[in-house]
Amino acid sequence: MAAMRLLHVIIILLLLLPAALLLVVVTEAQLSQGFYNATCPNLESLVRSAVHAKFQQTFVTAPATLRLFFHDCFVRGCDASVILASPTNDAEKDHPDNLSLAGDGFDTVIKAKAAVDADPSCRNKVSCADILALATRDVVSLSGGPSYEVELGRRDGRISTKASVQRQLPQPGFNLDQLIQIFAFHSLSLSLTDILALSGSHTLGFSHCKQFAKRIYRFNKTTTIDPTLNPSYALQLRKMCPLNVDPTVVVSMDPTGPQTFDNAYFKNLQQGKGLFSSDQVLFSDPRSRPTVDLFAATQSAFNDAFVAAITKMGRVGVLTGTQGEIRQDCTRVNQLFN
Ligand code: HEM
Ligand SMILES: *[C@@H]1O[C@H](CO)[C@@H](O)[C@H](O)[C@H]1NC(C)=O
Ligand SMILES: *[C@@H]1O[C@H](CO)[C@@H](O)[C@H](O)[C@H]1NC(C)=O
Ligand SMILES: CC(=O)N[C@H]1CO[C@H](CO)[C@@H](O)[C@@H]1O
């Protein structure tokens, strides 16, 4: 009889075990808004003033930081691995895709980290990954976009490889199926609405000519200009990006202005003025066109979707708890003996 009862208890425990394990995994992976409330109560204002100072020096701070956060999250998760420098030029930032990563994004994080660490209560307590997430929120709102609460508690990664960049970032020539696939690949399966809202980031910043040269010079064997491109916009682009243009030349991704975070991106798509195929396809494809129309018509619908999507993106592959480390210098992993 006692043996039977013991068996029952064991069976019940075995049944509960997976649920208990799941709970541990789930709680471990969670970020929270008040994560540093006790350890670094002034964190948000310290980051905000450092970012603001940098933004006043150069507007490029905004697009550079926003894109840096995207690249960080998409390659190995939001763990600031994109900021690590490699003595052998073999880190994520050494991949050719980094040409777009203007140095000002890196500099923003480094300056904000210095401001945070200058406060004795915060010193070496806040991850570079969280500082990048906060700085991203700040540049979006400084550029006229929405302001939002940022979830915190990320830890910094110790690994950064050039090779990991290749398959993880979307390319400007992607069609909708390829975009859906690569965004879904990132564990939290970012939805089609998330893809649209995050692509709205292309309301800010610049692109090098080579990213879309194919669309204006040699679309395919029989067609020179991509027929989904507005013809007068195509000619404008050819003027700004003549053949054999200096590879450092950049053009605004939003022809109505690269400095304001607004829904102009979606209005541009309606007029055939999406700079990349991966932008224009969001309007050409009937699956996403209704959402483009909604975001073009209603700024607040775009803002709300953007906040939801960037919050989701900020959870991709994060290290939490005792994983990773709190990097002391954002550009290098902590030395074990120092
Ligand atoms: C949907 C797939 C995406 C593709 C194919 C893509 C591709 C690109 C490319 C090729 C550039 C220009 C790089 C250069 O030549 O300088 C660029 C710029 C930029 N992207 Fe994206 N991107 C995508 C999604 C995103 C997302 C999700 C974000 C942010 C959440 C983002 C933010 C930016 C920003 C802000 C810039 C301007 C950078 C600057 O001016 O320094 N992009 N993107
Ligand atoms: C952290 O502090 C903020 C601002 O004081 C407050 O709104 C929030 O509720 C706090 N969160 C936690 C989890 O303590
Ligand atoms: C080139 O693109 C045009 C426009 O999309 C299309 O009609 C044509 O069939 C394509 N030609 C080739 C050879 O792929
Ligand atoms: C900001 C940054 O790290 N840029 C590097 C990008 O990659 C090229 C080589 O592909 C380096 O020369 C840049 O320094």
Side-chain angles (χ1 to χ4, degrees), residues 68 82 84 89 92-104 106 162:
L68 190 62
V82 71
L84 288 173
N89 293 329
E92 286 171 31
K93 74 195 285 267
D94 299 310
H95 189 274
D97 276 3
N98 82 354
L99 268 175
S100 53
L101 297 175
D104 289 310
F106 297 88
K162 184 154 62 172

Side-chain angles (χ1 to χ4, degrees), residues 122-202:
C122 303
R123 196 168 156 71
N124 295 333
K125 289 190 184 137
V126 183
S127 67
C128 300
D130 279 341
I131 288 175
L132 176 53
L134 285 168
T136 299
R137 181 270 310 274
D138 294 339
V139 295
V140 167
S141 84
L142 282 168
S143 310
S147 193
Y148 53 94
E149 293 296 326
V150 179
E151 296 177 342
L152 300 165
R154 296 169 191 80
R155 307 261 301 173
D156 296 323
R158 291 180 54 87
I159 303 169
S160 175
T161 64
K162 184 154 62 172
S164 60
V165 178
Q166 205 62 49
R167 281 162 297 104
Q168 310 208 14
L169 286 173
Q171 296 302 316
F174 273 16
N175 64 29
L176 196 65
D177 286 318
Q178 291 169 310
L179 288 175
I180 291 171
Q181 204 184 354
I182 203 154
F183 276 72
F185 168 77
H186 290 282
S187 61
L188 288 155
S189 44
L190 297 163
S191 67
L192 186 51
T193 306
D194 296 328
I195 296 176
L196 276 135
L198 289 170
S199 294
S201 300
H202 289 173

Side-chain angles (χ1 to χ4, degrees), residues 1-10:
M1 219 44 196
M4 272 294 259
R5 211 170 297 142
L6 189 63
L7 195 66
H8 274 153
V9 171
I10 290 173

Side-chain angles (χ1 to χ4, degrees), residues 137-283:
R137 181 270 310 274
D138 294 339
V139 295
V140 167
S141 84
L142 282 168
S143 310
S147 193
Y148 53 94
E149 293 296 326
V150 179
E151 296 177 342
L152 300 165
R154 296 169 191 80
R155 307 261 301 173
D156 296 323
R158 291 180 54 87
I159 303 169
S160 175
T161 64
K162 184 154 62 172
S164 60
V165 178
Q166 205 62 49
R167 281 162 297 104
Q168 310 208 14
L169 286 173
Q171 296 302 316
F174 273 16
N175 64 29
L176 196 65
D177 286 318
Q178 291 169 310
L179 288 175
I180 291 171
Q181 204 184 354
I182 203 154
F183 276 72
F185 168 77
H186 290 282
S187 61
L188 288 155
S189 44
L190 297 163
S191 67
L192 186 51
T193 306
D194 296 328
I195 296 176
L196 276 135
L198 289 170
S199 294
S201 300
H202 289 173
T203 178
L204 289 183
F206 307 90
S207 167
H208 294 83
C209 295
K210 72 156 194 210
Q211 307 284 9
F212 54 88
K214 205 171 145 74
R215 299 187 74 203
I216 54 175
Y217 288 114
R218 47 188 157 80
F219 180 60
N220 65 23
K221 284 207 178 85
T222 54
T223 311
T224 41
I225 296 184
D226 182 340
T228 64
L229 202 51
N230 175 307
S232 64
Y233 182 49
L235 293 182
Q236 237 176 296
L237 289 174
R238 278 184 165 195
K239 266 208 193 103
M240 293 185 282
C241 295
L243 277 169
N244 302 319
V245 66
D246 175 340
T248 62
V249 167
V250 292
V251 306
S252 299
M253 295 207 292
D254 175 352
T256 72
Q259 307 212 358
T260 327
F261 191 100
D262 58 16
N263 64 343
Y265 171 82
F266 300 98
K267 296 181 186 165
N268 295 336
L269 297 184
Q270 291 175 319
Q271 299 165 39
K273 295 181 180 171
L275 188 56
F276 305 140
S277 301
S278 64
D279 295 317
Q280 196 56 50
V281 75
L282 302 175
F283 184 72

